[in-house]
Coordinates of all heavy atoms in Angstrom, one line a residue:
N224 N 7.0 16.7 -18.1 CA 7.1 15.8 -19.3 C 7.1 16.8 -20.5 O 6.1 16.9 -21.2 CB 6.1 14.8 -19.4 CG 6.3 13.8 -20.6 OD1 7.4 13.8 -21.1 ND2 5.3 13.1 -20.9
G225 N 8.3 17.4 -20.8 CA 8.3 18.4 -21.8 C 7.9 19.8 -21.3 O 8.5 20.8 -21.7
R226 N 6.9 19.8 -20.5 CA 6.3 21.1 -19.9 C 6.3 20.9 -18.4 O 6.1 19.9 -17.8 CB 4.9 21.3 -20.4 CG 4.3 22.6 -19.9 CD 2.9 22.7 -20.4 NE 2.2 23.9 -19.9 CZ 2.3 25.1 -20.5 NH1 2.9 25.2 -21.7 NH2 1.7 26.1 -20.0
V227 N 6.7 22.0 -17.7 CA 6.8 22.0 -16.3 C 5.5 21.6 -15.6 O 4.4 22.1 -16.0 CB 7.3 23.3 -15.7 CG1 6.4 24.5 -16.1 CG2 7.5 23.3 -14.2
T228 N 5.6 20.8 -14.5 CA 4.4 20.4 -13.8 C 4.6 20.7 -12.3 O 3.6 20.9 -11.5 CB 4.0 19.0 -14.0 OG1 5.1 18.1 -13.6 CG2 3.6 18.7 -15.4
N229 N 5.8 20.5 -11.8 CA 6.1 20.7 -10.4 C 7.5 21.2 -10.1 O 8.4 21.1 -11.0 CB 6.1 19.3 -9.7 CG 4.7 18.7 -9.8 OD1 3.8 19.1 -9.1 ND2 4.6 17.7 -10.6
V230 N 7.7 21.9 -9.0 CA 9.0 22.2 -8.5 C 9.2 21.5 -7.2 O 8.3 21.4 -6.3 CB 9.1 23.7 -8.2 CG1 10.4 24.1 -7.5 CG2 8.9 24.6 -9.5
V231 N 10.4 20.8 -7.1 CA 10.7 20.0 -5.9 C 11.8 20.7 -5.1 O 12.8 21.0 -5.6 CB 11.2 18.6 -6.3 CG1 11.5 17.8 -5.0 CG2 10.1 17.9 -7.2
T232 N 11.5 21.0 -3.9 CA 12.4 21.8 -3.0 C 13.5 20.8 -2.5 O 13.4 19.6 -2.5 CB 11.7 22.5 -1.9 OG1 11.2 21.5 -0.9 CG2 10.5 23.3 -2.4
S233 N 14.5 21.4 -1.9 CA 15.6 20.6 -1.3 C 15.1 19.8 -0.1 O 15.7 18.8 0.3 CB 16.7 21.6 -0.8 OG 16.2 22.6 0.0
E234 N 13.9 20.2 0.5 CA 13.3 19.5 1.6 C 12.4 18.3 1.1 O 11.9 17.5 1.9 CB 12.4 20.4 2.4 CG 13.2 21.6 3.0 CD 12.3 22.6 3.6 OE1 11.1 22.7 3.1 OE2 12.7 23.4 4.4
G235 N 12.3 18.2 -0.3 CA 11.5 17.2 -0.8 C 10.0 17.5 -1.1 O 9.3 16.7 -1.6
E236 N 9.6 18.7 -0.8 CA 8.2 19.1 -1.1 C 8.0 19.3 -2.6 O 8.8 19.9 -3.3 CB 7.8 20.4 -0.4 CG 6.4 20.8 -0.6 CD 6.0 22.1 0.0 OE1 6.9 22.7 0.7 OE2 4.9 22.6 -0.2
R237 N 6.9 18.8 -3.1 CA 6.6 18.9 -4.5 C 5.5 20.0 -4.7 O 4.4 19.8 -4.1 CB 6.2 17.6 -5.1 CG 5.9 17.6 -6.6 CD 5.6 16.2 -7.1 NE 6.8 15.5 -7.4 CZ 7.4 14.6 -6.6 NH1 6.7 14.2 -5.5 NH2 8.5 14.0 -6.9
I238 N 5.8 21.1 -5.4 CA 4.9 22.2 -5.5 C 4.4 22.2 -6.9 O 5.2 22.3 -7.9 CB 5.5 23.5 -5.1 CG1 6.1 23.4 -3.7 CG2 4.6 24.7 -5.2 CD1 7.0 24.6 -3.4
E239 N 3.1 22.2 -7.1 CA 2.5 22.3 -8.5 C 2.8 23.6 -9.1 O 2.8 24.6 -8.5 CB 1.0 22.1 -8.4 CG 0.3 22.1 -9.8 CD -1.2 22.0 -9.7 OE1 -1.7 22.0 -8.5 OE2 -1.9 21.9 -10.7
A240 N 3.1 23.5 -10.4 CA 3.4 24.7 -11.2 C 3.2 24.6 -12.6 O 3.7 23.6 -13.2 CB 4.9 25.1 -11.0
S241 N 2.4 25.4 -13.2 CA 2.2 25.5 -14.7 C 3.2 26.5 -15.3 O 3.5 26.4 -16.5 CB 0.8 25.9 -15.1 OG 0.5 27.2 -14.6
T242 N 3.7 27.4 -14.4 CA 4.7 28.4 -14.8 C 5.7 28.5 -13.7 O 5.3 28.6 -12.5 CB 4.1 29.7 -15.2 OG1 3.2 29.6 -16.2 CG2 5.1 30.7 -15.5
V243 N 7.0 28.6 -14.0 CA 8.0 28.9 -13.1 C 8.8 30.1 -13.6 O 9.2 30.1 -14.7 CB 9.0 27.7 -12.9 CG1 10.2 28.1 -12.0 CG2 8.3 26.5 -12.3
V244 N 9.0 31.1 -12.7 CA 9.8 32.3 -13.1 C 11.0 32.3 -12.2 O 10.8 32.4 -10.9 CB 9.0 33.6 -13.0 CG1 9.8 34.8 -13.4 CG2 7.7 33.5 -13.8
I245 N 12.1 32.3 -12.8 CA 13.4 32.3 -12.0 C 14.0 33.7 -12.0 O 14.2 34.3 -13.0 CB 14.4 31.3 -12.6 CG1 13.8 29.9 -12.6 CG2 15.7 31.3 -11.8 CD1 14.7 28.8 -13.3
G246 N 14.2 34.2 -10.8 CA 14.8 35.5 -10.6 C 15.9 35.5 -9.6 O 15.7 35.8 -8.4
V247 N 17.1 35.0 -10.0 CA 18.2 34.9 -9.0 C 19.4 35.8 -9.4 O 20.5 35.4 -9.2 CB 18.6 33.4 -8.9 CG1 17.6 32.6 -8.2 CG2 19.0 32.8 -10.3
G248 N 19.1 36.9 -10.0 CA 20.1 37.9 -10.3 C 20.7 37.8 -11.7 O 20.3 37.0 -12.5
I249 N 21.6 38.7 -12.0 CA 22.3 38.8 -13.3 C 23.8 38.7 -13.0 O 24.3 39.0 -11.9 CB 21.9 40.0 -14.1 CG1 22.5 41.3 -13.4 CG2 20.4 40.1 -14.3 CD1 22.4 42.5 -14.3
T250 N 24.5 38.4 -14.1 CA 26.0 38.5 -14.1 C 26.4 39.5 -15.1 O 25.8 39.5 -16.2 CB 26.6 37.1 -14.4 OG1 26.1 36.6 -15.6 CG2 26.3 36.1 -13.3
P251 N 27.4 40.3 -14.8 CA 27.8 41.3 -15.8 C 28.4 40.7 -17.0 O 29.2 39.7 -16.9 CB 28.8 42.2 -15.0 CG 29.3 41.3 -13.9 CD 28.1 40.4 -13.6
A252 N 28.0 41.2 -18.2 CA 28.5 40.7 -19.5 C 29.9 41.3 -19.8 O 30.0 42.4 -20.4 CB 27.5 41.0 -20.6
T253 N 30.9 40.7 -19.4 CA 32.3 41.2 -19.5 C 33.2 40.5 -20.5 O 34.3 40.9 -20.7 CB 33.0 41.2 -18.1 OG1 33.1 39.8 -17.7 CG2 32.2 42.0 -17.1
E254 N 32.6 39.6 -21.2 CA 33.4 38.8 -22.1 C 34.2 39.6 -23.2 O 35.3 39.4 -23.5 CB 32.6 37.7 -22.8 CG 32.0 36.6 -21.9 CD 30.8 37.1 -21.2 OE1 30.3 38.2 -21.4 OE2 30.3 36.3 -20.4
L255 N 33.4 40.5 -23.8 CA 34.1 41.4 -24.8 C 35.2 42.2 -24.2 O 36.2 42.4 -24.8 CB 33.0 42.3 -25.5 CG 33.4 43.1 -26.7 CD1 33.8 42.2 -27.8 CD2 32.3 44.0 -27.1
A256 N 34.9 42.7 -23.0 CA 36.0 43.5 -22.4 C 37.2 42.7 -22.0 O 38.3 43.2 -22.2 CB 35.4 44.2 -21.1
E257 N 37.0 41.5 -21.5 CA 38.1 40.6 -21.2 C 38.9 40.3 -22.4 O 40.2 40.3 -22.4 CB 37.6 39.3 -20.6 CG 36.9 39.5 -19.2 CD 36.3 38.2 -18.7 OE1 36.8 37.1 -19.0 OE2 35.3 38.3 -18.0
G258 N 38.2 40.0 -23.6 CA 38.9 39.8 -24.8 C 39.8 40.9 -25.3 O 40.8 40.7 -26.0
A259 N 39.4 42.1 -24.9 CA 40.1 43.3 -25.3 C 41.2 43.7 -24.3 O 42.0 44.6 -24.6 CB 39.2 44.5 -25.5
G260 N 41.3 42.9 -23.3 CA 42.4 43.2 -22.3 C 42.0 44.2 -21.3 O 42.9 44.8 -20.6
L261 N 40.8 44.6 -21.1 CA 40.4 45.6 -20.1 C 40.4 45.0 -18.7 O 40.2 43.8 -18.5 CB 39.0 46.1 -20.4 CG 38.8 47.3 -21.4 CD1 39.3 46.8 -22.8 CD2 37.4 47.7 -21.5
D262 N 40.6 45.8 -17.7 CA 40.5 45.4 -16.3 C 39.1 45.0 -16.0 O 38.2 45.9 -16.2 CB 41.0 46.4 -15.4 CG 42.6 46.6 -15.4 OD1 43.2 45.8 -16.0 OD2 43.1 47.6 -14.9
V263 N 38.9 43.8 -15.4 CA 37.5 43.4 -15.1 C 37.5 42.8 -13.7 O 38.5 42.2 -13.3 CB 37.1 42.3 -16.1 CG1 35.8 41.6 -15.7 CG2 36.9 42.9 -17.5
G264 N 36.5 43.1 -12.9 CA 36.3 42.6 -11.6 C 34.9 42.9 -11.1 O 34.6 44.1 -10.8
N265 N 34.0 42.0 -11.1 CA 32.6 42.2 -10.8 C 32.1 43.4 -11.8 O 31.6 44.4 -11.3 CB 32.3 42.6 -9.4 CG 30.8 42.8 -9.1 OD1 29.9 42.2 -9.8 ND2 30.5 43.7 -8.2
G266 N 32.3 43.2 -13.1 CA 32.0 44.2 -14.0 C 33.3 44.7 -14.7 O 34.4 44.3 -14.4
I267 N 33.1 45.7 -15.5 CA 34.2 46.4 -16.2 C 34.7 47.5 -15.3 O 33.9 48.4 -15.0 CB 33.8 46.9 -17.6 CG1 33.3 45.8 -18.5 CG2 35.0 47.6 -18.3 CD1 32.7 46.2 -19.8
M268 N 35.9 47.6 -15.0 CA 36.4 48.6 -14.1 C 36.6 49.9 -14.8 O 37.3 49.9 -15.9 CB 37.8 48.1 -13.5 CG 37.8 46.7 -12.9 SD 36.7 46.6 -11.4 CE 37.8 47.4 -10.2
V269 N 36.0 51.0 -14.3 CA 36.1 52.3 -14.9 C 36.6 53.3 -13.8 O 36.5 53.0 -12.6 CB 34.8 52.8 -15.5 CG1 34.4 51.8 -16.6 CG2 33.7 52.9 -14.5
N270 N 37.1 54.4 -14.3 CA 37.5 55.5 -13.3 C 36.4 56.4 -13.1 O 35.2 56.2 -13.5 CB 38.8 56.2 -13.8 CG 38.6 56.9 -15.1 OD1 37.4 57.2 -15.5 ND2 39.7 57.3 -15.8
E271 N 36.6 57.5 -12.4 CA 35.5 58.5 -12.1 C 35.0 59.2 -13.3 O 33.9 59.8 -13.2 CB 36.0 59.5 -11.1 CG 37.1 60.4 -11.6 CD 38.5 59.9 -11.4 OE1 38.7 58.7 -11.4 OE2 39.4 60.7 -11.2
F272 N 35.6 59.0 -14.4 CA 35.1 59.6 -15.7 C 34.5 58.5 -16.6 O 34.3 58.8 -17.8 CB 36.2 60.4 -16.4 CG 36.9 61.4 -15.5 CD1 38.2 61.3 -15.2 CD2 36.2 62.5 -15.0 CE1 38.8 62.2 -14.4 CE2 36.8 63.4 -14.2 CZ 38.1 63.3 -13.9
C273 N 34.3 57.4 -16.1 CA 33.7 56.2 -16.8 C 34.6 55.7 -17.9 O 34.2 54.9 -18.8 CB 32.4 56.6 -17.4 SG 31.2 57.3 -16.3
E274 N 35.9 55.9 -17.8 CA 36.9 55.4 -18.8 C 37.5 54.1 -18.2 O 37.8 54.0 -17.0 CB 38.0 56.4 -19.1 CG 38.8 56.0 -20.3 CD 39.7 57.2 -20.8 OE1 40.1 58.0 -19.9 OE2 40.1 57.2 -22.0
T275 N 37.7 53.1 -19.1 CA 38.3 51.9 -18.7 C 39.8 52.0 -18.6 O 40.3 53.1 -18.7 CB 37.9 50.8 -19.7 OG1 38.6 51.0 -20.9 CG2 36.4 50.7 -19.9
S276 N 40.4 50.8 -18.3 CA 41.9 50.8 -18.2 C 42.6 51.1 -19.5 O 43.8 51.3 -19.6 CB 42.3 49.4 -17.7 OG 41.8 48.4 -18.5
I277 N 41.8 51.1 -20.6 CA 42.4 51.4 -22.0 C 41.8 52.7 -22.4 O 40.6 52.9 -22.6 CB 42.1 50.3 -23.0 CG1 42.7 49.0 -22.6 CG2 42.5 50.7 -24.4 CD1 42.4 47.8 -23.5
P278 N 42.7 53.7 -22.6 CA 42.2 55.1 -23.0 C 41.3 55.0 -24.3 O 41.6 54.2 -25.2 CB 43.5 55.8 -23.3 CG 44.5 55.2 -22.4 CD 44.1 53.7 -22.4
G279 N 40.2 55.7 -24.3 CA 39.4 55.7 -25.5 C 38.2 54.7 -25.4 O 37.4 54.7 -26.3
I280 N 38.3 53.8 -24.4 CA 37.2 52.9 -24.3 C 36.5 53.1 -22.9 O 37.2 53.2 -21.9 CB 37.7 51.4 -24.3 CG1 38.4 51.1 -25.6 CG2 36.5 50.4 -24.1 CD1 38.9 49.7 -25.8
Y281 N 35.2 53.3 -23.0 CA 34.4 53.7 -21.8 C 33.4 52.6 -21.5 O 33.1 51.7 -22.3 CB 33.7 55.0 -22.0 CG 34.7 56.2 -22.2 CD1 35.4 56.3 -23.4 CD2 34.8 57.1 -21.2 CE1 36.3 57.4 -23.6 CE2 35.7 58.2 -21.4 CZ 36.4 58.3 -22.5 OH 37.3 59.4 -22.7
A282 N 32.8 52.6 -20.3 CA 31.7 51.7 -20.0 C 30.7 52.4 -19.1 O 31.1 53.3 -18.3 CB 32.3 50.4 -19.3
A283 N 29.5 51.9 -19.2 CA 28.4 52.5 -18.4 C 27.3 51.5 -18.2 O 27.1 50.6 -19.0 CB 27.9 53.8 -19.0
G284 N 26.4 51.8 -17.2 CA 25.3 50.9 -17.0 C 25.6 49.7 -16.0 O 26.5 49.8 -15.2
D285 N 24.7 48.7 -16.2 CA 24.8 47.5 -15.3 C 26.2 46.9 -15.2 O 26.5 46.2 -14.3 CB 23.8 46.5 -15.7 CG 22.3 46.9 -15.5 OD1 22.1 48.1 -14.9 OD2 21.4 46.2 -15.8
V286 N 26.9 47.0 -16.3 CA 28.2 46.3 -16.4 C 29.4 47.1 -15.8 O 30.4 46.5 -15.6 CB 28.5 46.0 -17.9 CG1 29.0 47.2 -18.6 CG2 29.5 44.8 -18.0
A287 N 29.2 48.4 -15.5 CA 30.3 49.2 -15.1 C 30.5 49.2 -13.6 O 29.6 49.5 -12.9 CB 30.1 50.6 -15.6
N288 N 31.7 49.0 -13.2 CA 32.1 49.0 -11.8 C 32.9 50.3 -11.6 O 34.0 50.4 -12.0 CB 33.0 47.8 -11.5 CG 33.3 47.7 -10.0 OD1 33.6 48.6 -9.3 ND2 33.2 46.4 -9.5
H289 N 32.3 51.2 -10.8 CA 32.9 52.6 -10.7 C 33.1 53.0 -9.3 O 32.4 52.5 -8.4 CB 32.0 53.6 -11.4 CG 30.7 53.9 -10.7 ND1 29.6 53.0 -10.8 CD2 30.3 54.9 -9.9 CE1 28.6 53.5 -10.0 NE2 29.0 54.7 -9.5
P290 N 34.1 53.9 -9.1 CA 34.3 54.4 -7.7 C 33.2 55.4 -7.4 O 32.8 56.3 -8.2 CB 35.6 55.1 -7.8 CG 35.8 55.5 -9.3 CD 35.0 54.5 -10.1
N291 N 32.7 55.3 -6.1 CA 31.6 56.2 -5.7 C 32.0 56.7 -4.3 O 31.9 55.9 -3.3 CB 30.3 55.5 -5.7 CG 29.1 56.4 -5.4 OD1 29.1 57.1 -4.4 ND2 28.2 56.5 -6.4
A292 N 32.4 57.9 -4.2 CA 32.8 58.5 -2.9 C 31.6 58.5 -1.9 O 31.8 58.5 -0.7 CB 33.4 59.9 -3.1
I293 N 30.4 58.7 -2.4 CA 29.2 58.8 -1.5 C 29.0 57.4 -0.8 O 28.8 57.3 0.4 CB 28.0 59.2 -2.3 CG1 28.2 60.6 -2.8 CG2 26.8 59.1 -1.4 CD1 27.1 61.0 -3.8
V294 N 29.1 56.3 -1.6 CA 28.9 55.0 -1.0 C 30.2 54.6 -0.2 O 30.1 53.9 0.8 CB 28.7 54.0 -2.2 CG1 28.7 52.6 -1.6 CG2 27.3 54.3 -2.8
G295 N 31.3 55.1 -0.7 CA 32.6 54.8 0.1 C 33.3 53.7 -0.5 O 33.9 52.9 0.3
G296 N 33.3 53.5 -1.8 CA 34.1 52.4 -2.4 C 33.6 52.2 -3.8 O 32.8 53.0 -4.4
R297 N 34.0 51.1 -4.4 CA 33.5 50.8 -5.8 C 32.2 50.1 -5.7 O 31.9 49.3 -4.8 CB 34.6 49.8 -6.5 CG 35.8 50.6 -7.0 CD 36.6 49.7 -7.9 NE 37.5 50.5 -8.7 CZ 37.2 51.0 -9.9 NH1 36.0 50.8 -10.4 NH2 38.0 51.8 -10.6
V298 N 31.4 50.4 -6.7 CA 30.0 49.7 -6.8 C 29.7 49.4 -8.3 O 30.2 50.1 -9.2 CB 28.9 50.7 -6.2 CG1 29.0 50.8 -4.7 CG2 28.9 52.0 -6.9
R299 N 28.9 48.4 -8.4 CA 28.3 48.2 -9.8 C 26.8 48.1 -9.5 O 26.3 47.3 -8.8 CB 28.8 46.8 -10.3 CG 28.3 46.5 -11.7 CD 28.8 45.2 -12.3 NE 28.3 44.1 -11.5 CZ 27.1 43.5 -11.6 NH1 26.2 44.0 -12.4 NH2 26.7 42.5 -10.8
L300 N 26.1 49.1 -10.1 CA 24.7 49.3 -9.8 C 23.8 48.8 -10.9 O 24.1 49.1 -12.1 CB 24.4 50.8 -9.5 CG 25.2 51.4 -8.4 CD1 25.0 52.9 -8.3 CD2 24.8 50.8 -7.0
E301 N 22.7 48.1 -10.6 CA 21.8 47.6 -11.6 C 20.5 48.4 -11.4 O 19.6 47.9 -10.7 CB 21.6 46.1 -11.4 CG 22.9 45.3 -11.5 CD 22.7 43.9 -11.0 OE1 21.5 43.5 -10.7 OE2 23.7 43.2 -11.0
S302 N 20.4 49.6 -11.9 CA 19.2 50.4 -11.7 C 19.0 51.3 -12.9 O 19.9 51.6 -13.7 CB 19.3 51.3 -10.5 OG 20.3 52.3 -10.7

Side-chain angles (χ1 to χ4, degrees):
N224 185 14
R226 182 183 177 89
V227 62
T228 56
N229 298 284
V230 173
V231 181
T232 71
S233 53
E234 300 167 338
E236 181 183 358
R237 181 173 280 102
I238 304 170
E239 182 185 2
S241 62
T242 299
V243 174
V244 182
I245 300 172
V247 291
I249 69 169
T250 56
T253 60
E254 294 81 2
L255 187 62
E257 292 174 33
L261 276 63
D262 288 347
V263 171
N265 183 28
I267 301 172
M268 309 295 281
V269 299
N270 62 18
E271 66 272 28
F272 307 114
C273 306
E274 191 169 27
T275 70
S276 57
I277 297 177
I280 302 180
Y281 296 74
D285 291 358
V286 77
N288 185 317
H289 71 280
N291 188 304
I293 295 170
V294 171
R297 281 193 162 272
V298 289
R299 185 180 63 80
L300 301 172
E301 301 168 6
S302 72

